[in-house]
């Protein structure tokens, strides 16, 4: 294997034909490198990305076993990669990395690498955005001569020194005040006498326990009532309770109305034993049994907010019938 080196330099797009320019034609190299490039074959899946509104930017590039690896940013879409005047076959692309096959005819040397994005048309080709860098494939070229050092700039003139201000006169020394005489210590006061302890008060007498009241007499047992007559035998069957649930959601064509009414009716042969209602999305709501009918009615009025598909009024009738 040969050591690969990469050098980057911003160039003019007119240098795209550097592969055929005699100034950039590489020197002869060993046959082993050309055979390695010709025999290397790697298949990579190509990923599709949305076209980026930004120009691509190349940050690094290197060739390895016949594959050119380009790293950078904004490689989305279907980028075109050229090495000098040769257009390379792109085998894999992401937003930050491109892999392309290096032709076997490429010999060691320095080439202009160009990545172009920004749209593709079968008649017009690529247009829009691109970035370029120089890449050295194979041996590293000799280092160019160092440029001559630039002339030293002239030293600016020194500014004038400011005048020294006069020293201030020292302040007069203050006269320390005289120390006052120490005051006479006052006499110690006499200790006061301890007062006498008060007498303990006498304990009060315990009150007498009250007498227990007499037990009242037991009342007489009342007479047993007569046994009622047996009712008639009912027809065969069992009682069955069921719930009838009817709900309605407000639809767009009802949006102009303030009231949504839902009725839940008991089936024939049953009686109404109760009911309830559920409301969602209404400020005022009323429910109750239907007058003169076996059923429950629910009414929602004045919606809380603009129409939604979740606004609902639901009536539930609890019915009982003999099966």
């Amino acid at each position: 294997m040969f050591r690969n080196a990469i050098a980057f330099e911003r160039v003019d797009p007119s240098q795209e034909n550097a592969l055929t320019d005699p100034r950039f034609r590489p020197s002869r190299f060993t046959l082993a490198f050309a055979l390695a490039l010709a025999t290397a074959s790697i298949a990579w899946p190509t990923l599709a990305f949305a076209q980026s509104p930004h120009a691509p930017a190349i940050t690094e590039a290197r060739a390895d076993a016949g594959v050119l690896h380009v790293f950078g940013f904004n490689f989305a879409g279907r980028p075109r990669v050229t090495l000098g005047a040769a257009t390379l076959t792109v085998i894999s692309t992401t937003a930050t990395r491109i892999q392309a096959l290096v032709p076997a005819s490429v010999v060691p040397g320095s080439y202009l690498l160009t990545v172009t994005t920004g749209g593709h048309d079968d008649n017009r080709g690529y247009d829009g955005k691109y970035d370029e860098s120089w890449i050295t494939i194979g041996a590293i070229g000799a280092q160019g001569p160092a440029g001559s050092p630039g002339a030293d700039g002239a030293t600016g003139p020194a500014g004038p020194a400011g005048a020294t201000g006069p020293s201030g006169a020292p302040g007069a020394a203050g006269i320390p005040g005289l120390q006052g005489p120490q005051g006479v210590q006052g006499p110690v006061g006499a200790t006061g006498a301890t007062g006498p302890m008060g007498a303990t008060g006498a304990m009060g007498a315990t009150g007498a326990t009250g007498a227990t009241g007499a037990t009242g007499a037991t009342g007489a047992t009342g007479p047993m009532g007569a046994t009622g007559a047996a009712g008639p035998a009912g027809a065969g069957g069992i009682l069955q309770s069921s719930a009838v649930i009817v709900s309605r959601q407000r639809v767009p064509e009802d949006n102009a109305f303030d009231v949504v009414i839902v009725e839940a009716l008991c089936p024939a042969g049953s009686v109404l034993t109760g009911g309830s209602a559920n409301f969602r999305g209404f400020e005022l709501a009323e429910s109750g049994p239907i007058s003169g009918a076996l059923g429950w009615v629910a009414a929602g009025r004045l919606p809380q907010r603009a129409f939604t598909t979740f606004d609902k009024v639901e009536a539930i009738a609890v019915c009982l019938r003999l099966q």
Side-chain angles (χ1 to χ4, degrees):
M1 297 299 297
F2 296 92
R3 178 181 178 187
N4 296 327
I6 302 171
F8 296 94
E9 181 181 354
R10 179 65 59 184
V11 298
D12 188 270
S14 61
Q15 295 181 348
E16 182 174 329
N17 296 325
L19 185 63
T20 59
D21 195 320
R23 294 174 299 169
F24 304 106
R25 183 174 299 279
S27 60
R28 299 176 60 186
F29 204 67
T30 60
L31 181 60
F33 181 87
L35 292 177
L37 293 178
T39 56
S41 176
I42 302 176
W44 299 87
T46 301
L47 303 178
F49 292 88
Q51 180 174 322
S52 172
H54 306 290
I58 302 172
T59 59
E60 180 184 354
R62 64 172 182 267
D64 185 15
V67 177
L68 177 63
H69 304 269
V70 184
F71 301 90
F73 304 98
N74 304 324
F75 292 159
R78 298 168 53 191
R80 183 182 66 170
V81 180
T82 59
L83 193 64
T87 300
L88 306 186
T89 300
V90 177
I91 59 176
S92 176
T93 177
T94 67
T96 58
R97 181 176 179 178
I98 300 174
Q99 292 179 315
L101 294 177
V102 179
S105 58
V106 175
V107 294
S110 297
Y111 298 91
L112 179 63
L113 171 64
T114 304
V115 174
T116 306
T117 62
H120 180 273
D121 186 276
D122 292 338
N123 296 323
R124 296 185 297 120
Y126 286 81
D127 60 3
K129 300 167 283 294
Y130 69 93
D131 193 20
E132 297 176 332
S133 292
W134 284 97
I135 174 174
T136 300
I137 298 180
I140 300 176
Q143 182 175 354
S148 57
D152 294 334
T155 303
T164 303
S167 300
I175 301 173
L178 301 176
Q179 183 172 351
Q182 183 173 353
V184 178
Q185 182 173 352
V188 178
T191 303
T194 302
M197 181 178 295
T200 302
M203 181 179 295
T206 302
T209 302
T212 302
T215 302
T218 302
T221 303
M224 182 179 294
T227 304
I238 59 174
L239 294 176
Q240 182 178 15
S241 178
S242 62
V244 178
I245 303 175
V246 179
S247 64
R248 177 182 173 188
Q249 291 183 338
R250 263 190 326 133
V251 292
E253 53 266 32
D254 293 337
N255 200 30
F257 296 93
D258 293 333
V259 180
V260 175
I261 301 176
V262 178
E263 295 181 346
L265 302 177
C266 291
S270 63
V271 294
L272 178 70
T273 61
S276 63
N278 294 322
F279 301 90
R280 184 168 57 202
F282 292 88
E283 293 179 356
L284 300 179
E286 299 176 352
S287 70
I290 301 175
S291 178
L294 299 177
W296 200 269
V297 62
R301 296 183 295 136
L302 301 181
Q304 291 178 333
R305 56 189 180 277
F307 166 75
T308 70
T309 57
F310 299 102
D311 291 348
K312 183 180 73 172
V313 176
E314 184 178 78
I316 304 172
V318 181
C319 308
L320 181 67
R321 65 179 175 179
L322 186 66
Q323 292 285 4

mmCIF file with all atom_site columns, all heavy atoms in Angstrom, residues 67 82 127 149 191 306:
data_model
loop_
_atom_site.group_PDB
_atom_site.id
_atom_site.type_symbol
_atom_site.label_atom_id
_atom_site.label_alt_id
_atom_site.label_comp_id
_atom_site.label_asym_id
_atom_site.label_entity_id
_atom_site.label_seq_id
_atom_site.pdbx_PDB_ins_code
_atom_site.Cartn_x
_atom_site.Cartn_y
_atom_site.Cartn_z
_atom_site.occupancy
_atom_site.B_iso_or_equiv
_atom_site.pdbx_formal_charge
_atom_site.auth_seq_id
_atom_site.auth_comp_id
_atom_site.auth_asym_id
_atom_site.auth_atom_id
_atom_site.pdbx_PDB_model_num
ATOM 1  N N   . VAL A 1 67  ? -11.119 3.268  -4.028  1.00 0.00 ? 67  VAL A N   1
ATOM 2  C CA  . VAL A 1 67  ? -12.340 3.987  -3.651  1.00 0.00 ? 67  VAL A CA  1
ATOM 3  C C   . VAL A 1 67  ? -11.933 5.349  -3.095  1.00 0.00 ? 67  VAL A C   1
ATOM 4  O O   . VAL A 1 67  ? -11.066 5.446  -2.232  1.00 0.00 ? 67  VAL A O   1
ATOM 5  C CB  . VAL A 1 67  ? -13.163 3.203  -2.603  1.00 0.00 ? 67  VAL A CB  1
ATOM 6  C CG1 . VAL A 1 67  ? -14.385 4.014  -2.190  1.00 0.00 ? 67  VAL A CG1 1
ATOM 7  C CG2 . VAL A 1 67  ? -13.582 1.858  -3.176  1.00 0.00 ? 67  VAL A CG2 1
ATOM 8  N N   . THR A 1 82  ? -16.034 14.746 -9.740  1.00 0.00 ? 82  THR A N   1
ATOM 9  C CA  . THR A 1 82  ? -15.043 14.708 -10.816 1.00 0.00 ? 82  THR A CA  1
ATOM 10 C C   . THR A 1 82  ? -13.657 14.788 -10.210 1.00 0.00 ? 82  THR A C   1
ATOM 11 O O   . THR A 1 82  ? -13.425 15.481 -9.215  1.00 0.00 ? 82  THR A O   1
ATOM 12 C CB  . THR A 1 82  ? -15.242 15.872 -11.809 1.00 0.00 ? 82  THR A CB  1
ATOM 13 O OG1 . THR A 1 82  ? -15.138 17.106 -11.111 1.00 0.00 ? 82  THR A OG1 1
ATOM 14 C CG2 . THR A 1 82  ? -16.609 15.789 -12.470 1.00 0.00 ? 82  THR A CG2 1
ATOM 15 N N   . ASP A 1 127 ? -26.368 21.667 -12.204 1.00 0.00 ? 127 ASP A N   1
ATOM 16 C CA  . ASP A 1 127 ? -26.205 23.102 -12.095 1.00 0.00 ? 127 ASP A CA  1
ATOM 17 C C   . ASP A 1 127 ? -26.360 23.495 -10.640 1.00 0.00 ? 127 ASP A C   1
ATOM 18 O O   . ASP A 1 127 ? -26.753 22.694 -9.806  1.00 0.00 ? 127 ASP A O   1
ATOM 19 C CB  . ASP A 1 127 ? -27.222 23.852 -12.975 1.00 0.00 ? 127 ASP A CB  1
ATOM 20 C CG  . ASP A 1 127 ? -28.662 23.520 -12.582 1.00 0.00 ? 127 ASP A CG  1
ATOM 21 O OD1 . ASP A 1 127 ? -28.846 22.764 -11.613 1.00 0.00 ? 127 ASP A OD1 1
ATOM 22 O OD2 . ASP A 1 127 ? -29.586 24.028 -13.227 1.00 0.00 ? 127 ASP A OD2 1
ATOM 23 N N   . PRO A 1 149 ? 10.166  36.527 3.090   1.00 0.00 ? 149 PRO A N   1
ATOM 24 C CA  . PRO A 1 149 ? 9.486   37.237 4.187   1.00 0.00 ? 149 PRO A CA  1
ATOM 25 C C   . PRO A 1 149 ? 9.140   38.654 3.789   1.00 0.00 ? 149 PRO A C   1
ATOM 26 O O   . PRO A 1 149 ? 9.870   39.320 3.053   1.00 0.00 ? 149 PRO A O   1
ATOM 27 C CB  . PRO A 1 149 ? 10.519  37.209 5.323   1.00 0.00 ? 149 PRO A CB  1
ATOM 28 C CG  . PRO A 1 149 ? 11.832  37.041 4.626   1.00 0.00 ? 149 PRO A CG  1
ATOM 29 C CD  . PRO A 1 149 ? 11.568  36.216 3.399   1.00 0.00 ? 149 PRO A CD  1
ATOM 30 N N   . THR A 1 191 ? -28.234 43.718 99.490  1.00 0.00 ? 191 THR A N   1
ATOM 31 C CA  . THR A 1 191 ? -29.074 42.623 99.003  1.00 0.00 ? 191 THR A CA  1
ATOM 32 C C   . THR A 1 191 ? -30.427 42.683 99.685  1.00 0.00 ? 191 THR A C   1
ATOM 33 O O   . THR A 1 191 ? -30.507 42.759 100.913 1.00 0.00 ? 191 THR A O   1
ATOM 34 C CB  . THR A 1 191 ? -28.412 41.270 99.277  1.00 0.00 ? 191 THR A CB  1
ATOM 35 O OG1 . THR A 1 191 ? -27.114 41.265 98.652  1.00 0.00 ? 191 THR A OG1 1
ATOM 36 C CG2 . THR A 1 191 ? -29.236 40.125 98.747  1.00 0.00 ? 191 THR A CG2 1
ATOM 37 N N   . ALA A 1 306 ? -65.577 26.334 19.418  1.00 0.00 ? 306 ALA A N   1
ATOM 38 C CA  . ALA A 1 306 ? -65.875 26.072 18.017  1.00 0.00 ? 306 ALA A CA  1
ATOM 39 C C   . ALA A 1 306 ? -66.081 24.574 17.793  1.00 0.00 ? 306 ALA A C   1
ATOM 40 O O   . ALA A 1 306 ? -65.625 23.747 18.565  1.00 0.00 ? 306 ALA A O   1
ATOM 41 C CB  . ALA A 1 306 ? -64.737 26.590 17.136  1.00 0.00 ? 306 ALA A CB  1
#
